[in-house]
Coordinates of all heavy atoms in Angstrom, one line a residue:
D1 N 13.3 -52.7 -15.6 CA 13.5 -53.5 -14.3 C 12.2 -53.9 -13.6 O 12.3 -54.4 -12.5 CB 14.4 -52.7 -13.4 CG 15.8 -52.4 -14.0 OD1 16.3 -53.2 -14.7 OD2 16.3 -51.3 -13.7
D2 N 11.1 -53.7 -14.3 CA 9.8 -53.9 -13.7 C 9.2 -55.2 -14.2 O 9.1 -55.4 -15.4 CB 8.9 -52.8 -13.9 CG 7.7 -52.7 -12.9 OD1 7.5 -53.7 -12.2 OD2 7.0 -51.7 -12.9
T3 N 8.8 -56.1 -13.3 CA 8.1 -57.2 -13.6 C 6.8 -57.3 -12.8 O 6.3 -58.3 -12.4 CB 8.8 -58.5 -13.4 OG1 9.3 -58.6 -12.0 CG2 10.1 -58.6 -14.3
M4 N 6.2 -56.1 -12.7 CA 5.0 -55.9 -11.8 C 3.8 -56.8 -12.4 O 3.6 -56.9 -13.6 CB 4.6 -54.5 -11.7 CG 4.2 -53.8 -13.0 SD 3.8 -52.0 -12.8 CE 2.3 -52.1 -11.9
T5 N 3.0 -57.3 -11.5 CA 1.9 -58.1 -11.9 C 0.6 -57.6 -11.2 O -0.4 -58.2 -11.3 CB 2.1 -59.6 -11.6 OG1 2.4 -59.7 -10.2 CG2 3.2 -60.1 -12.4
D6 N 0.7 -56.5 -10.5 CA -0.5 -55.9 -9.7 C -1.6 -55.5 -10.7 O -2.8 -55.7 -10.5 CB -0.1 -54.8 -8.8 CG 0.8 -55.2 -7.6 OD1 0.8 -56.4 -7.4 OD2 1.4 -54.4 -7.0
T7 N -1.2 -54.8 -11.8 CA -2.1 -54.3 -12.7 C -2.6 -55.4 -13.7 O -3.8 -55.5 -14.0 CB -1.5 -53.2 -13.6 OG1 -1.0 -52.2 -12.7 CG2 -2.5 -52.6 -14.5
Y8 N -1.7 -56.3 -14.2 CA -2.0 -57.3 -15.1 C -1.4 -58.6 -14.6 O -0.2 -58.9 -14.9 CB -1.5 -57.0 -16.5 CG -2.1 -55.7 -17.1 CD1 -1.3 -54.5 -17.2 CD2 -3.4 -55.6 -17.5 CE1 -1.8 -53.4 -17.7 CE2 -3.9 -54.5 -18.0 CZ -3.1 -53.3 -18.1 OH -3.7 -52.2 -18.6
P9 N -2.1 -59.4 -13.9 CA -1.6 -60.8 -13.5 C -1.2 -61.6 -14.7 O -2.0 -61.6 -15.7 CB -2.8 -61.4 -12.8 CG -3.6 -60.2 -12.3 CD -3.5 -59.2 -13.4
L10 N -0.1 -62.3 -14.7 CA 0.4 -62.9 -15.9 C -0.4 -64.2 -16.3 O -0.2 -64.7 -17.4 CB 1.9 -63.3 -15.7 CG 2.8 -62.0 -15.5 CD1 4.2 -62.5 -15.4 CD2 2.6 -61.0 -16.6
D11 N -1.2 -64.7 -15.4 CA -2.0 -65.9 -15.7 C -3.5 -65.5 -16.1 O -4.3 -66.4 -16.2 CB -2.0 -66.8 -14.5 CG -2.6 -66.2 -13.2 OD1 -2.7 -65.0 -13.1 OD2 -3.0 -67.0 -12.3
I12 N -3.7 -64.2 -16.3 CA -5.0 -63.8 -16.8 C -4.8 -63.0 -18.1 O -3.9 -62.2 -18.2 CB -5.7 -62.9 -15.7 CG1 -5.8 -63.6 -14.4 CG2 -7.0 -62.3 -16.2 CD1 -6.9 -64.7 -14.4
E13 N -5.7 -63.2 -19.0 CA -5.7 -62.4 -20.3 C -6.3 -61.0 -20.0 O -7.5 -61.0 -19.6 CB -6.4 -63.1 -21.4 CG -6.2 -62.4 -22.8 CD -4.8 -62.4 -23.3 OE1 -4.1 -63.4 -23.1 OE2 -4.4 -61.3 -23.8
P14 N -5.6 -59.9 -20.2 CA -6.2 -58.6 -20.0 C -7.4 -58.4 -21.0 O -7.4 -58.9 -22.1 CB -5.0 -57.6 -20.4 CG -3.8 -58.5 -20.3 CD -4.2 -59.8 -20.7
W15 N -8.3 -57.6 -20.6 CA -9.5 -57.3 -21.4 C -9.1 -56.2 -22.5 O -9.7 -56.2 -23.6 CB -10.7 -56.8 -20.6 CG -10.5 -55.6 -19.8 CD1 -10.1 -55.6 -18.5 CD2 -10.6 -54.2 -20.2 NE1 -10.0 -54.3 -18.0 CE2 -10.3 -53.4 -19.1 CE3 -10.9 -53.6 -21.4 CZ2 -10.3 -52.0 -19.1 CZ3 -10.9 -52.2 -21.5 CH2 -10.6 -51.4 -20.3
E16 N -8.1 -55.4 -22.3 CA -7.6 -54.5 -23.2 C -7.2 -55.2 -24.5 O -6.5 -56.2 -24.4 CB -6.5 -53.6 -22.7 CG -7.0 -52.7 -21.5 CD -6.7 -53.3 -20.2 OE1 -6.7 -54.5 -20.1 OE2 -6.6 -52.5 -19.2
Q17 N -7.5 -54.6 -25.7 CA -7.3 -55.3 -26.9 C -5.9 -55.2 -27.5 O -5.5 -56.0 -28.4 CB -8.3 -54.8 -28.0 CG -9.7 -55.1 -27.6 CD -10.0 -56.5 -27.4 OE1 -10.0 -57.3 -28.4 NE2 -10.3 -56.9 -26.2
N18 N -5.0 -54.4 -26.9 CA -3.7 -54.2 -27.5 C -2.6 -54.7 -26.7 O -1.4 -54.4 -27.0 CB -3.5 -52.7 -27.8 CG -3.5 -51.8 -26.5 OD1 -4.3 -52.1 -25.6 ND2 -2.6 -50.8 -26.4
I19 N -2.8 -55.5 -25.6 CA -1.8 -56.2 -24.9 C -2.3 -57.6 -24.6 O -3.5 -57.9 -24.6 CB -1.4 -55.5 -23.5 CG1 -2.6 -55.4 -22.6 CG2 -0.9 -54.1 -23.8 CD1 -2.3 -54.9 -21.2
S20 N -1.3 -58.5 -24.3 CA -1.7 -59.9 -24.1 C -0.7 -60.5 -23.2 O 0.5 -60.3 -23.3 CB -1.8 -60.6 -25.4 OG -2.1 -62.0 -25.2
T21 N -1.1 -61.4 -22.3 CA -0.3 -62.3 -21.6 C -0.1 -63.6 -22.3 O 0.6 -64.5 -21.8 CB -0.8 -62.6 -20.2 OG1 -2.2 -63.0 -20.3 CG2 -0.8 -61.3 -19.3
R22 N -0.8 -63.8 -23.5 CA -0.8 -65.0 -24.3 C -1.5 -66.1 -23.6 O -1.4 -67.3 -24.0 CB 0.6 -65.4 -24.7 CG 1.3 -64.4 -25.6 CD 2.7 -64.7 -25.9 NE 2.9 -66.1 -26.4 CZ 4.1 -66.7 -26.4 NH1 5.1 -66.2 -25.8 NH2 4.1 -68.0 -26.8
V23 N -2.3 -65.8 -22.5 CA -3.2 -66.9 -21.9 C -4.3 -67.2 -22.9 O -4.7 -68.4 -23.0 CB -3.7 -66.4 -20.6 CG1 -4.8 -67.3 -20.0 CG2 -2.6 -66.2 -19.6
N24 N -4.8 -66.2 -23.6 CA -5.9 -66.4 -24.6 C -5.5 -65.5 -25.8 O -6.3 -64.6 -26.1 CB -7.3 -66.1 -24.0 CG -8.4 -66.4 -25.0 OD1 -8.2 -67.0 -26.1 ND2 -9.6 -65.9 -24.7
F25 N -4.4 -65.8 -26.4 CA -4.0 -64.9 -27.5 C -4.9 -64.9 -28.7 O -5.0 -64.0 -29.4 CB -2.5 -65.3 -27.9 CG -1.9 -64.3 -28.9 CD1 -1.9 -63.0 -28.7 CD2 -1.3 -64.8 -30.0 CE1 -1.4 -62.1 -29.6 CE2 -0.7 -64.0 -30.9 CZ -0.8 -62.6 -30.7
A26 N -5.6 -66.0 -28.8 CA -6.6 -66.1 -30.0 C -7.6 -65.0 -29.9 O -8.2 -64.7 -31.0 CB -7.2 -67.5 -30.0
S27 N -7.9 -64.5 -28.7 CA -8.9 -63.4 -28.6 C -8.3 -62.1 -28.9 O -9.1 -61.1 -28.9 CB -9.5 -63.4 -27.2 OG -8.5 -63.0 -26.2
K28 N -7.1 -62.0 -29.2 CA -6.4 -60.7 -29.5 C -6.1 -60.6 -30.9 O -7.0 -60.7 -31.8 CB -5.2 -60.6 -28.6 CG -5.6 -60.5 -27.1 CD -6.5 -59.4 -26.7 CE -7.0 -59.3 -25.3 NZ -5.9 -59.1 -24.3
W29 N -4.8 -60.4 -31.3 CA -4.5 -60.1 -32.7 C -3.8 -61.2 -33.4 O -3.1 -61.1 -34.4 CB -3.6 -58.8 -32.7 CG -2.3 -58.9 -32.0 CD1 -1.1 -59.3 -32.6 CD2 -2.0 -58.6 -30.6 NE1 -0.1 -59.3 -31.6 CE2 -0.6 -58.8 -30.4 CE3 -2.8 -58.2 -29.6 CZ2 0.0 -58.6 -29.2 CZ3 -2.2 -58.0 -28.4 CH2 -0.8 -58.2 -28.2
E30 N -4.0 -62.4 -32.9 CA -3.4 -63.6 -33.5 C -3.8 -63.7 -35.0 O -3.0 -64.1 -35.8 CB -3.8 -64.9 -32.8 CG -3.2 -66.2 -33.3 CD -3.6 -67.4 -32.5 OE1 -4.8 -67.7 -32.5 OE2 -2.8 -68.0 -31.8
N31 N -5.0 -63.4 -35.3 CA -5.5 -63.5 -36.7 C -4.9 -62.4 -37.6 O -5.1 -62.4 -38.8 CB -7.0 -63.5 -36.8 CG -7.6 -62.2 -36.3 OD1 -6.9 -61.3 -35.7 ND2 -8.9 -62.1 -36.4
M32 N -4.1 -61.5 -37.1 CA -3.5 -60.4 -37.9 C -2.0 -60.7 -38.1 O -1.3 -60.0 -38.8 CB -3.6 -59.1 -37.2 CG -5.0 -58.5 -37.0 SD -5.1 -56.9 -36.2 CE -4.3 -55.8 -37.4
L33 N -1.5 -61.8 -37.6 CA -0.1 -62.2 -37.7 C 0.1 -63.0 -39.0 O -0.6 -63.9 -39.3 CB 0.4 -63.0 -36.5 CG 0.4 -62.4 -35.1 CD1 0.8 -63.5 -34.1 CD2 1.3 -61.2 -35.1
P34 N 1.2 -62.6 -39.8 CA 1.6 -63.5 -40.9 C 2.0 -64.9 -40.3 O 2.5 -65.0 -39.2 CB 2.8 -62.8 -41.5 CG 2.7 -61.4 -41.1 CD 2.0 -61.4 -39.7
A35 N 1.8 -65.9 -41.1 CA 2.0 -67.3 -40.6 C 3.4 -67.6 -40.0 O 3.6 -68.4 -39.1 CB 1.7 -68.3 -41.7
S36 N 4.4 -66.9 -40.6 CA 5.8 -67.1 -40.2 C 6.3 -66.3 -39.0 O 7.4 -66.4 -38.7 CB 6.7 -66.9 -41.4 OG 6.5 -65.5 -41.8
T37 N 5.4 -65.5 -38.4 CA 5.8 -64.6 -37.4 C 6.4 -65.3 -36.1 O 5.6 -66.2 -35.5 CB 4.6 -63.7 -36.9 OG1 4.1 -63.0 -38.0 CG2 5.1 -62.7 -35.9
P38 N 7.6 -65.0 -35.8 CA 8.1 -65.7 -34.5 C 7.5 -65.1 -33.3 O 7.2 -63.9 -33.2 CB 9.6 -65.4 -34.6 CG 9.7 -64.1 -35.5 CD 8.6 -64.2 -36.4
I39 N 7.2 -65.9 -32.3 CA 6.6 -65.5 -31.1 C 7.4 -66.0 -29.9 O 7.6 -67.2 -29.8 CB 5.1 -66.1 -30.9 CG1 4.3 -65.6 -32.1 CG2 4.5 -65.7 -29.6 CD1 2.9 -66.2 -32.1
P40 N 8.0 -65.1 -29.0 CA 7.9 -63.7 -29.2 C 8.7 -63.2 -30.4 O 9.6 -63.9 -30.9 CB 8.6 -63.2 -27.9 CG 8.6 -64.4 -27.0 CD 8.7 -65.6 -27.8
T41 N 8.4 -62.0 -30.9 CA 9.0 -61.4 -32.0 C 10.2 -60.7 -31.6 O 10.2 -59.8 -30.8 CB 8.0 -60.5 -32.8 OG1 6.8 -61.2 -33.0 CG2 8.6 -60.1 -34.1
P42 N 11.4 -61.0 -32.2 CA 12.6 -60.3 -31.8 C 12.5 -58.8 -32.3 O 12.1 -58.5 -33.4 CB 13.7 -61.0 -32.6 CG 13.1 -62.3 -33.0 CD 11.7 -62.1 -33.1

């Protein structure tokens, strides 16, 4: 039930390497995804 943005504003890419707001997903694990991966992944 939480959509908090105090810790991680949704319009800023977090510096932590294991989460993403997808603002700059290329800087995260995009290069580890198989080409067919649906985003978001069900």
Side-chain angles (χ1 to χ4, degrees):
D1 299 327
D2 198 346
T3 56
M4 63 182 292
T5 58
D6 290 344
T7 305
Y8 300 107
L10 299 184
D11 59 343
I12 302 289
E13 186 64 41
W15 59 265
E16 295 93 333
Q17 297 303 292
N18 62 321
I19 62 171
S20 177
T21 55
R22 295 173 55 200
V23 171
N24 183 13
F25 186 51
S27 68
K28 296 301 175 65
W29 62 92
E30 185 178 60
N31 63 353
M32 295 179 68
L33 296 178
S36 60
T37 305
I39 301 175
T41 311

